[in-house]
Amino acid sequence: MTRGRSAVLGVLAVALLGACGGGDPQAEPRKTVTATATTTVTAQPERMSSQKGTTLGKARKAAEAAGYTASAHNASKGDAEPSGSWKVCFEDIGYGTVDYGAVEEGALCPKKDGGPLTWPKTPDVTGTVYAKAVTALTKAGLDEDDISAGSAYRDVTVTADDAESDPDDYTVCFQSPKAGSDIKPGTKAELTLVEGDSCPSAKGTYKDRKNDPDYTPPAPARDSGTGSSSGGGSGSGSGGSGGSGDTGQWNGQCELMSPAGNCYRAGQFCANKHLGLQTHDAGGRIIYCKERADGQRWNYS
């Protein structure tokens, strides 16, 4: 029984060997096929913070650093091409891309993308002290280096250094540009000051009138009550020009003369610089430059 089982196993072993080693010795070897699968993975851009309010140049650098492709357009109703100094007002962030809407440097952002361009307005700083005026102007958008100072009087010198040394002791009397003007790039402001708080009525006047080259001192006062001793009938030849006796002691010269070189006459218009002054007319009577209903005129009283 054991010998029979061994014989069977031997036959099976020979059969298996024949199957492995048999076949046509000239048959081609089997080909081996290798399949390769390639997977492309795209990196997701980093989360980027808002760039509104920054310059376009900085916004572009931030976008590129975060892995975004940045583009830009004019956010106002203009055709100008945005530059790096423009301010970002709007941003449209997509997957890996961002588009910035920007306006010119110093301009205000429109209420919506593509709206009209507006500028900050110059505040009214007249009547305030220098320190508060500078603060208001810089807050509105002016650079402090673009603010200069000068004197309201021709005969008094005031510099920015003077005002900055005691900014609460100088008052702004006049300003340029005027309140409400646009503050655009390159705008410069000039503040006209006085020390203290008493401003003149106009810019460029003289604090001391005697320093004005056109100043004419008033004629010296005369005693007009001594002319009665000259005798009764002797004064009749003068007609109506000087019956009051105010020609006495006159030296024959008119203190103030017209541009043509003539003495002024009562009823003529008188210049602003002569307002409140007096002179003699050609007949020797004193006339005064006064304001009347019909303007400034020379009058006898």
Side-chain angles (χ1 to χ4, degrees):
M1 185 70 178
T2 303
R3 293 180 59 186
R5 293 177 61 184
S6 299
V8 173
L9 292 174
V11 172
L12 289 173
V14 170
L16 289 172
L17 288 173
C20 292
D24 188 356
Q26 295 185 359
E28 294 182 1
R30 297 178 180 178
K31 294 182 180 179
T32 302
V33 178
T34 303
T36 303
T38 303
T39 303
T40 302
V41 179
T42 303
Q44 183 175 357
E46 297 179 13
R47 190 174 186 85
M48 186 176 61
S49 60
S50 174
Q51 299 299 308
K52 292 180 180 180
T54 64
T55 63
L56 183 56
K58 290 182 178 179
R60 278 176 166 157
K61 288 182 179 179
E64 292 170 0
Y68 287 78
T69 300
S71 59
H73 66 275
N74 191 335
S76 66
K77 289 184 176 180
D79 297 326
E81 190 69 22
S83 69
S85 63
W86 283 32
K87 180 174 65 177
V88 174
C89 294
F90 306 97
E91 56 188 1
D92 183 11
I93 301 176
Y95 189 84
T97 63
V98 57
D99 180 55
Y100 294 119
V103 295
E104 294 180 47
E105 180 183 6
L108 299 175
C109 289
K111 293 183 178 180
K112 62 180 181 178
D113 201 347
L117 189 66
T118 58
W119 299 92
K121 302 298 181 183
T122 304
D124 185 359
V125 296
T126 56
T128 64
V129 295
Y130 179 77
K132 290 184 178 180
V134 171
T135 299
L137 290 171
T138 54
K139 187 177 180 180
L142 274 170
D143 193 302
E144 191 168 347
D145 292 337
D146 291 329
I147 303 173
S148 61
S151 175
Y153 294 107
R154 288 181 179 270
D155 54 341
V156 177
T157 300
V158 175
T159 64
D161 290 339
D162 295 330
E164 290 169 4
S165 65
D166 195 357
D168 291 324
D169 194 40
Y170 286 86
T171 301
V172 179
C173 297
F174 310 98
Q175 70 176 83
S176 176
K178 65 181 181 180
S181 301
D182 289 342
I183 298 179
K184 296 183 178 182
T187 299
K188 298 183 183 298
E190 180 183 12
L191 302 178
T192 306
L193 314 172
V194 293
E195 187 173 6
D197 58 2
S198 181
C199 290
S201 58
K203 179 181 177 181
T205 57
Y206 289 86
K207 189 171 185 179
D208 185 348
R209 292 183 62 190
K210 294 180 181 178
N211 292 329
D212 187 347
D214 295 329
Y215 171 73
T216 302
R222 305 187 288 106
D223 183 1
S224 60
T226 60
S228 59
S229 62
S230 60
S234 62
S236 60
S238 61
S241 63
S244 65
D246 59 354
T247 60
Q249 314 243 351
W250 181 49
N251 62 6
Q253 298 293 323
C254 298
E255 294 83 3
L256 301 177
M257 307 284 285
S258 70
N262 302 317
C263 295
Y264 288 109
R265 302 189 309 274
Q268 281 185 309
F269 285 103
C270 55
N272 289 333
K273 65 181 180 180
H274 293 149
L275 190 62
L277 303 182
Q278 66 181 37
T279 185
H280 285 86
D281 63 8
R285 294 187 64 180
I286 295 179
I287 53 177
Y288 306 86
C289 179
K290 294 184 177 181
E291 184 75 39
R292 303 192 324 194
D294 56 350
Q296 295 173 186
R297 293 182 181 270
W298 291 104
N299 304 270
Y300 284 122
S301 60

